[in-house]
Amino acid sequence: MAENNRAVLKLKEKFAASIIDVVEFRGEVTVTVAKDSIIDILSFLKLSLQYNLLTDLTAIDYLGKKEDRFMMVYLLCSIPNKDRLRIKTPVSEADCRIPSATQVWGTANWLEREVFDLFGVTFDEHPDLRRILMTDDWVGHPLRKDYPLQGPDREPYKGRLS
Amino acid sequence: MGVENPLGENIITTSLDKLVNWSRKSSIWPMTFGLACCAIEMMATGASHNDLDRFGIIFRASPRQSDCIIIAGTVTKKMLPVIKTVYEQMPEPKWVIAMGACACSGGIFDTYSVVQGIDEALPVDVYIPGCPPRPEALLFGLIKLQDKIWNDKNSFGSSIGLGDRIESVVS
């Protein structure tokens, strides 16, 4: 159960005020935390609980479905302990920025550039925050739900005309 | 019977245009340039089983030595300037083959990041449908390109500065 997960126990002990939600689904534990203490929590997980691998870092756009539009997702893996943990934190559209995780895991560098490129979330203290997939002169962030699929300069697809 | 052969058995007479067209169509050197899964099929076409070499089609590693570019795969908007540069580096005369659904029309990728057909940027001579086209389809397309080159008019004159080469339409 999620309550007995070693990381959840330690996090509840140390960051009780920052934890918003703990969910376990099919053996996968997800902890939702507040944005303000995200770097403290990630550092603690890496240095004290041996989550030494950041498998992936991405974002979700909950446009019109949640109060805070974006949700950052950190997928952690502990190689010595052979277990995984998912950390989520909400990011509002009005304050669309979050501290960079590059200070914890170097691999966050390009992953955060991808989130910046496609979702438009700004990462404070990122060493090299440039677009990584789209061209440098691209306007907009294509994975946002309000970005037109065929691009802003084309008529949207209206189904087969038959 | 009836055909005089006054120059002997080793000499044929032809027009200079046909001579130039024959040499061009018999040595189409495509640019080695692949973009996606169609490039795998293009490599299969060039390999021993289908053997493009028997048509004089030899892939070149430099656009300076190429006179044909096979757009084999999905063209993204980020890749388009690179393709344009490669095309502009090729010496005249040069031909473009759009291989596969993506190069012809964008294919299934009707999205913000994909060019909806390479003909938005380059003058395409042969379109080959398929996803990806089989090697036989690419061979057929290349033979169509040979037909087109063979029927060019004033190809000799244009190469010595007299007028323009008049391209034929082959259906």
Side-chain angles (χ1 to χ4, degrees):
Chain A
M1 299 305 288
E3 287 69 35
N4 301 323
N5 183 285
R6 66 181 182 97
V8 173
L9 287 172
K10 292 276 184 189
L11 284 177
K12 278 190 170 166
E13 198 178 299
K14 213 162 175 324
F15 300 97
S18 305
I19 293 177
I20 299 170
D21 192 19
V22 179
V23 178
E24 178 172 340
F25 181 71
R26 294 191 177 173
E28 297 179 1
V29 179
T30 305
V31 183
T32 310
V33 302
K35 187 174 84 170
D36 302 333
S37 51
I38 183 70
I39 292 302
D40 292 340
I41 289 173
L42 294 177
S43 309
F44 173 74
L45 287 169
K46 187 192 178 188
L47 300 174
S48 305
L49 298 180
Q50 294 182 295
Y51 283 97
N52 52 357
L53 174 67
L54 177 65
T55 316
D56 198 9
L57 182 163
T58 184
I60 307 165
D61 184 358
Y62 284 110
L63 178 66
K65 297 200 168 149
K66 284 195 179 179
E67 196 176 325
D68 289 322
R69 179 169 174 185
F70 298 102
M71 183 76 91
M72 288 296 303
V73 184
Y74 301 83
L75 304 178
L76 313 184
C77 175
S78 170
I79 293 172
N81 292 304
K82 299 188 178 67
D83 68 346
R84 290 170 188 277
L85 183 68
R86 186 184 293 121
I87 302 290
K88 287 185 177 183
T89 183
V91 176
S92 68
E93 193 177 8
D95 186 26
C96 200
R97 49 180 55 248
I98 188 167
S100 170
T102 45
Q103 48 195 300
V104 188
W105 295 279
T107 191
N109 188 326
W110 282 21
L111 297 171
E112 287 184 343
R113 281 177 63 187
E114 186 185 351
V115 171
F116 165 72
D117 188 356
L118 301 178
F119 288 96
V121 177
T122 308
F123 292 88
D124 293 326
E125 292 166 57
H126 190 283
D128 182 28
L129 197 61
R130 289 178 291 134
R131 286 185 183 273
I132 189 169
L133 292 173
M134 311 311 294
T135 49
D136 292 335
D137 57 349
W138 197 271
V139 179
H141 304 286
L143 282 193
R144 286 190 171 193
K145 292 288 182 199
D146 53 2
Y147 192 90
L149 176 62
Q150 270 100 2
D153 51 345
R154 278 180 60 202
E155 276 280 297
Y157 179 67
K158 296 196 181 75
R160 282 185 63 187
L161 304 167
S162 61
Chain B
M1 184 189 82
V3 179
E4 295 280 322
N5 200 358
L7 298 172
E9 295 292 334
N10 297 331
I11 293 174
I12 57 164
T13 53
T14 179
S15 70
L16 285 168
D17 280 352
K18 283 286 179 244
L19 179 69
V20 170
N21 288 344
W22 170 77
S23 64
R24 280 179 181 165
K25 91 174 178 79
S26 309
S27 61
I28 299 174
W29 286 0
M31 177 66 206
T32 309
F33 193 79
L35 290 164
C37 29
C38 279
I40 305 294
E41 216 68 3
M42 183 173 73
M43 286 182 261
T45 318
S48 50
H49 186 86
N50 290 289
D51 193 14
L52 282 180
D53 286 15
R54 64 201 160 115
F55 301 103
I57 297 171
I58 301 164
F59 283 101
R60 303 303 298 184
S62 163
R64 311 283 185 198
Q65 301 169 351
S66 312
D67 43 23
C68 169
I69 184 165
I70 302 174
I71 307 296
T74 318
V75 183
T76 57
K77 286 182 184 169
K78 200 173 181 180
M79 198 63 183
L80 189 61
V82 181
I83 296 171
K84 277 184 182 168
T85 306
V86 169
Y87 179 75
E88 282 158 10
Q89 285 173 333
M90 286 162 48
E92 291 277 357
K94 51 192 172 185
W95 293 275
V96 178
I97 294 178
M99 177 183 181
C102 296
C104 291
S105 68
I108 59 169
F109 301 105
D110 189 10
T111 65
Y112 58 90
S113 58
V114 174
V115 178
Q116 299 299 302
I118 189 62
D119 51 6
E120 289 184 4
L122 304 183
V124 177
D125 295 283
V126 178
Y127 294 87
I128 305 172
C131 186
R134 287 187 57 84
E136 292 89 327
L138 180 57
L139 285 175
F140 187 75
L142 285 161
I143 291 166
K144 280 285 173 200
L145 180 63
Q146 289 189 331
D147 289 349
K148 178 172 173 161
I149 297 170
W150 181 242
N151 289 306
D152 277 356
K153 301 279 187 288
N154 197 29
S155 30
F156 181 79
S158 64
S159 62
I160 58 167
L162 298 172
D164 293 325
R165 186 164 52 93
I166 299 155
E167 297 199 2
S168 60
V169 178
V170 179
S171 55

